[in-house]
Amino acid sequence: MSILASGVCCNVCLRNMGENLRMQRMLSRCSKVVKTDEHVKTINGVYHSAKGFCVAERKLSGFCLKPGSKHSDHFFRVGYRETDAELLFRHIETGYDASKKMDVCFAGEAEKFCMPMMLGITTKWTFRTAWQIDKPGDKPRFISAYHDDSLREDR
């Protein structure tokens, strides 16, 4: 099911079943159509996953996908663009698997860990993602990610 995200499209009035086809054509021309079943939940600039973790949008757009930042080339080489923060979040959500936690350490109440995952659009590379749980009961939050070929499962 689709809904208009901007309400800018034309004055659409469904008077009968024949109008339904007209509305579908108009919606297909709209650039801002959002599929409601694929909506990403964001609160105050933070993506929240149904898998129980969160990622600050600024970590993706201001670090992973920011030209010139430390590891941005890794993301650009696998097909991501500067504007792909939400897509990258969706790929991280797909790759997130708590059973693959590794390098777990504790600093006070904070738990830090890494998790390998395959990320990319045009090609898939293995990335090491870093996470932190600030205190017991908190959601894991994304800290960083970079390409790490040593984590490939097919080695």
Side-chain angles (χ1 to χ4, degrees), residues 16-34:
N16 58 36
M17 292 300 283
E19 291 287 311
N20 193 20
L21 182 58
R22 185 173 141 252
M23 182 179 174
Q24 287 177 352
R25 285 187 192 129
M26 289 170 58
L27 287 173
S28 70
R29 289 191 300 261
C30 294
S31 61
K32 294 245 178 185
V33 173
V34 176

Side-chain angles (χ1 to χ4, degrees), residues 2 11 21 26 42 56 62 64 79-80 83 95 97 117 122 129 131 147:
S2 297
N11 181 13
L21 182 58
M26 289 170 58
T42 59
C64 297
Y80 293 106
T83 57
D97 180 351
M117 60 182 67
T122 56
T129 59
W131 301 84
H147 173 241

Side-chain angles (χ1 to χ4, degrees), residues 101-114 131-133:
K101 279 171 58 170
M102 56 189 287
D103 302 335
V104 178
C105 66
F106 292 88
E109 286 190 318
E111 176 186 348
K112 299 178 180 190
F113 61 93
C114 293
W131 301 84
Q132 181 170 319
I133 300 172

Side-chain angles (χ1 to χ4, degrees), residues 124-141:
K124 298 284 187 191
W125 283 2
T126 305
F127 281 75
R128 177 184 294 264
T129 59
W131 301 84
Q132 181 170 319
I133 300 172
D134 295 316
K135 60 183 186 255
D138 284 358
K139 291 180 177 182
R141 65 182 174 89

Side-chain angles (χ1 to χ4, degrees), residues 7-8 11 14 34 53 55 60 67 76 80-81 87 92 100 104 111-112 114 118 129 138-139:
V8 184
N11 181 13
L14 292 178
V34 176
F53 68 85
V55 179
L60 302 180
F76 298 141
Y80 293 106
R81 299 174 314 220
L87 179 61
I92 289 170
K100 293 186 177 183
V104 178
E111 176 186 348
K112 299 178 180 190
C114 293
M118 299 296 288
T129 59
D138 284 358
K139 291 180 177 182

Side-chain angles (χ1 to χ4, degrees), residues 8-110:
V8 184
C9 277
C10 304
N11 181 13
V12 178
C13 212
L14 292 178
R15 293 194 174 121
N16 58 36
M17 292 300 283
E19 291 287 311
N20 193 20
L21 182 58
R22 185 173 141 252
M23 182 179 174
Q24 287 177 352
R25 285 187 192 129
M26 289 170 58
L27 287 173
S28 70
R29 289 191 300 261
C30 294
S31 61
K32 294 245 178 185
V33 173
V34 176
K35 297 214 182 228
T36 55
D37 56 342
E38 296 179 13
H39 183 68
V40 173
K41 181 179 175 185
T42 59
I43 300 171
N44 295 327
V46 178
Y47 298 113
H48 291 268
S49 170
K51 290 185 174 183
F53 68 85
C54 58
V55 179
E57 190 277 334
R58 64 181 167 71
K59 284 283 190 175
L60 302 180
S61 62
F63 175 72
C64 297
L65 302 175
K66 181 180 179 185
S69 67
K70 190 172 182 180
H71 301 295
S72 62
D73 284 353
H74 299 175
F75 292 93
F76 298 141
R77 287 184 187 152
V78 295
Y80 293 106
R81 299 174 314 220
E82 287 179 69
T83 57
D84 285 336
E86 185 175 313
L87 179 61
L88 178 54
F89 170 76
R90 289 175 189 263
H91 289 176
I92 289 170
E93 187 172 41
T94 300
Y96 188 92
D97 180 351
S99 71
K100 293 186 177 183
K101 279 171 58 170
M102 56 189 287
D103 302 335
V104 178
C105 66
F106 292 88
E109 286 190 318

